[in-house]
Amino acid sequence: MLWMVIMAQALAGDVGYEQVRALAQRDEASLAPAAYTEMVDSMSRVGGASFTRCLPTPAPETLAAFTVVLQLDAQGRVVRTWREGDEAVARCVDAGFAGKTLFVPPKARFLAALVFMVPR
């Protein structure tokens, strides 16, 4: 299966953002509703704390959209990230996930994505 090859490449560091983002969508879609809610809540908690710490004062009127894909181990600890977006806030939020423990995923090497969208 192609996704197994891509996952192996991702773990070896030989894959790009687009491929791991697709794998994250697949992993997220495999979750039961309660687990999905737990995932979102834990990512929101850690991501929210990072935003609070990372936003400059005064806060800018607009921020560029960005996404951080997180690789979790069997205990839910973030062991690697990939980011789309290179604004300072995106880099800071990405760094804020390093080593943090989120929800316990149903399998090891689970991928999930935090997406920051710009309101229109």
Side-chain angles (χ1 to χ4, degrees):
M1 293 175 150
L2 180 59
W3 68 266
M4 290 172 55
V5 172
I6 295 171
M7 181 59 106
Q9 291 173 333
L11 300 175
D14 299 334
V15 71
Y17 167 81
E18 292 299 326
Q19 291 172 310
V20 294
R21 179 67 176 109
L23 290 170
Q25 289 172 329
R26 184 210 60 204
D27 285 353
E28 292 170 2
S30 74
L31 293 174
Y36 185 84
T37 299
E38 186 179 355
M39 176 194 71
V40 170
D41 289 348
S42 67
M43 290 172 60
S44 296
R45 177 181 40 81
V46 173
S50 292
F51 266 105
T52 299
R53 187 184 72 256
C54 296
L55 279 176
T57 305
E61 289 186 32
T62 61
L63 288 174
F66 67 90
T67 301
V68 179
V69 177
L70 311 164
Q71 179 184 325
L72 308 179
D73 66 12
Q75 290 75 42
R77 187 173 62 89
V78 177
V79 295
R80 183 165 182 195
T81 64
W82 293 260
R83 182 184 65 251
E84 179 182 59
D86 201 37
E87 191 170 288
V89 171
R91 291 190 311 270
C92 182
V93 169
D94 180 354
F97 277 99
K100 296 291 191 283
T101 299
L102 303 177
F103 81 112
V104 177
K107 65 177 185 153
R109 297 182 181 113
F110 186 89
L111 296 170
L114 172 81
V115 180
F116 173 74
M117 302 289 287
V118 178
R120 292 187 181 244

